[in-house]
Amino acid sequence: MYVKIRTDGAVGLGRATEGTEEITIGYGEAHMIAAALEKLAQTARDYKQVYKKTTDVGGGNKIEFERYEDGRISISGDKHTYYCTEQEIRELAKLLKNLPPVQVAPASDYVDKTTPEDSVCLVVKNGGASAGLKITEAALLKTAVVSSLSSRYFDEHLVVAGRDLVVNRSSDLKWKLEVGGNPVKFTAYEVEALVAGLHNGILDVLMDFVKSMGSDDIADIRVKSHIQRIEEEVQKTMGEHKDMKKVRKNLSNMAKLILGGGQDADTRTNTFIEMCKFVYGDIEREFVDPLMDLLSAAFVVEG
């Protein structure tokens, strides 16, 4: 059977079809389906499991796995059924466990993921120059660059947790990013790919963290515990401030969208960017740095 990541970010499973007869699951469900397939392959006879989808992709809301008395295996979903050998089931599970990161925008030559160190997990680069970025910085830089696209001149200086960031558009054709005094220059022909690269870089880092939460029976407990720690840090940072409860609730709700089931990678990424914009733009300045430090570490798998 084949496995594909569709242009809408969903995952298709099929055999000898161009797509109209495939079973469709959400990208974030792939690990859970893989676990169900592995269990199916390990069961000798007379076994059935029903998986209820956590996303609304495809033409149905469940997938059925069945092993019959005679050893045959079937996978059914979205009004389609495929019969498979045990070896095919194992291969399908392996493919689903090793899906590449979803790209929701054109690939970029200008942003790379790097092994996290002190929350720096991305590198923006061009023309031999480069600068390391935290995921929060990438979110704010993407926002600034997108804002600059509709301008003839743009200059924004951000200070995020003690690090200086600059986005400058000096003409119709020239952009410059500075991170901690390290300039990286771009032309109008490169800047859209830069935006895509920043988005995809954030996406890759977030999906690494989502995968680190696992897909076993206690994955939900890990997610809830992590969100609770974020809430506790917000309360610790803001204390008895009048806005503490509002900020804690907003960040908690967004963290649930980022880490919980049922969301595609693009939605998680956009939610994280909105989270960073909320903290940097809407919260009293005395709390911005510690909360940005919190977000820069809370969604990154440290190396």
Side-chain angles (χ1 to χ4, degrees):
M1 291 185 66
Y2 68 71
V3 173
K4 73 179 183 185
I5 300 176
R6 304 187 326 190
T7 55
D8 62 0
V11 175
L13 313 176
R15 180 195 292 134
T17 175
E18 296 179 0
T20 56
E21 297 180 5
E22 65 190 16
I23 297 171
T24 308
I25 61 174
Y27 180 89
E29 297 178 294
H31 270 58
M32 291 176 278
I33 297 298
L37 290 171
E38 287 177 338
K39 186 172 182 180
L40 185 65
Q42 294 166 5
T43 305
R45 296 286 187 276
D46 195 19
Y47 171 81
K48 185 173 183 178
Q49 180 181 355
V50 177
Y51 172 81
K52 292 187 177 180
K53 295 184 186 181
T54 58
T55 59
D56 58 0
V57 297
N61 63 358
K62 64 182 180 180
I63 300 174
E64 296 182 355
F65 308 92
E66 188 164 3
R67 188 149 197 174
Y68 304 93
E69 282 287 349
D70 59 8
R72 290 180 302 136
I73 299 174
S74 70
I75 310 172
S76 301
D78 299 335
K79 301 179 181 179
H80 308 299
T81 298
Y82 293 101
Y83 292 94
C84 305
T85 65
E86 184 176 307
Q87 182 60 31
E88 285 177 318
I89 291 295
R90 294 185 186 278
E91 290 175 356
L92 184 58
K94 184 177 179 180
L95 288 171
L96 289 172
K97 288 174 67 176
N98 294 282
L99 289 177
V102 171
Q103 291 189 330
V104 295
S108 171
D109 294 327
Y110 307 120
V111 180
D112 286 335
K113 187 172 64 173
T114 187
T115 301
E117 184 175 349
D118 296 329
S119 298
V120 173
C121 53
L122 297 169
V123 175
V124 60
K125 60 181 184 177
N126 196 26
S130 64
L133 292 175
K134 299 179 181 181
I135 188 174
T136 46
E137 296 168 344
L140 294 177
L141 285 177
K142 183 200 170 186
T143 301
V145 174
V146 169
S147 180
S148 75
L149 294 177
S150 60
S151 70
R152 300 184 68 179
Y153 172 84
F154 184 93
D155 193 87
E156 183 172 11
H157 179 205
L158 307 97
V159 180
V160 184
R163 281 164 54 96
D164 290 337
L165 309 176
V166 176
V167 176
N168 174 263
R169 182 180 187 178
S170 57
S171 72
D172 287 345
L173 299 177
K174 295 181 180 179
W175 274 261
K176 180 176 68 174
L177 306 186
E178 284 190 28
V179 182
N182 297 314
V184 186
K185 296 180 180 180
F186 296 89
T187 69
Y189 307 104
E190 299 166 331
V191 72
E192 288 190 7
L194 168 64
V195 171
L198 290 168
H199 184 97
N200 283 345
I202 297 166
L203 183 153
D204 286 348
V205 171
L206 289 177
M207 292 311 297
D208 283 347
F209 192 83
V210 170
K211 289 180 181 178
S212 76
M213 292 286 100
S215 57
D216 54 22
D217 293 340
I218 61 171
D220 285 345
I221 297 175
R222 293 192 194 98
V223 169
K224 290 176 182 177
S225 296
H226 192 72
I227 293 171
Q228 184 177 355
R229 286 195 292 272
I230 292 173
E231 293 173 346
E232 290 170 353
E233 286 298 319
V234 172
Q235 184 167 349
K236 180 180 176 181
T237 298
M238 299 189 70
E240 299 299 320
H241 190 275
K242 62 182 178 63
D243 292 334
M244 187 277 291
K245 290 183 179 179
K246 180 186 75 172
V247 173
R248 183 179 62 188
K249 181 179 180 180
N250 283 349
L251 295 186
S252 177
N253 287 341
M254 286 188 274
K256 290 173 185 175
L257 287 174
I258 295 168
L259 299 177
Q263 304 297 329
D264 61 32
D266 193 30
T267 299
R268 297 177 199 266
T269 303
N270 289 330
T271 300
F272 180 80
I273 293 171
E274 289 302 315
M275 178 185 273
C276 294
K277 289 163 62 177
F278 169 69
V279 170
Y280 192 79
D282 296 347
I283 294 176
E284 290 195 21
R285 307 316 293 169
E286 64 182 292
F287 303 122
V288 170
D289 281 1
L291 291 180
M292 292 302 280
D293 276 338
L294 169 64
L295 299 186
S296 70
F299 299 95
V300 177
V301 180
E302 289 290 346

